[in-house]
Amino acid sequence: MANARKAAINCLLTIDRDGCYSNIAIDNTLKRSDMQGADSALFSALVYGVLDRKYLLDYIISKCSSKAINKLSLFVLETLRVSVLQLKFMDRIPPFAAINEAVAIVKKSKERYASGFVNAVLRAVQRETIDLPQPSDAENLSILCSCDINIVNRLIDD
């Protein structure tokens, strides 16, 4: 399963850095890997789950992080997104597994210095009750629906 998590993080990096379409990035990753069955299903669920809830995941991370989202490296941010998705929206993954795997992935990367930070943020996400914003304005709707604010404003105007 750790392989699926690492592959999901790398796939999300490809999508964000290179502007690759998600379906192409996922297909390419699955073709190059030896993931099958449960691992490939978890991988796909993680990638699509992060893409579907990116704004909401970033909101949750920002509530539990001492650093601003825009100050985090993309690798650390994607690792946090994948892990928060598992903690908050996937009920079959035990919290300790999501946190331990994220920390292990960061420790094995060139950004190993961030492993303590990742651990602290994920423990806070696990421990804290985070109040979601109320759908009272366009910005909050953007977070709740994980949709760009410009699109939300157009929909409200229409």
Side-chain angles (χ1 to χ4, degrees), residues 25-97:
I26 288 172
D27 286 344
N28 289 341
T29 302
L30 287 173
K31 285 177 187 173
R32 288 190 311 255
S33 74
D34 59 353
M35 286 186 287
Q36 295 179 2
D39 281 344
S40 65
L42 175 61
F43 162 76
S44 297
L46 292 173
V47 174
Y48 283 126
V50 167
L51 294 175
D52 285 345
R53 294 182 171 101
K54 187 181 283 190
Y55 290 86
L56 184 55
L57 295 170
D58 287 354
Y59 175 82
I60 293 169
I61 293 166
S62 71
K63 293 296 181 186
C64 295
S65 173
S66 59
K67 295 180 183 177
I69 293 281
N70 61 353
K71 299 292 184 188
L72 301 176
S73 75
L74 192 53
F75 173 76
V76 169
L77 181 58
E78 295 296 6
T79 303
L80 288 171
R81 285 173 176 160
V82 166
S83 302
V84 171
L85 177 75
Q86 294 172 79
L87 289 171
K88 293 295 185 185
F89 300 102
M90 299 177 95
D91 57 356
R92 290 187 167 187
I93 298 173
F96 72 88

Side-chain angles (χ1 to χ4, degrees), residues 137-139 141 149-158:
D137 60 15
E139 186 176 341
L141 282 171
I149 187 79
N150 296 321
I151 295 171
V152 171
N153 283 326
R154 283 185 180 172
L155 288 171
I156 290 171
D157 289 345
D158 285 349

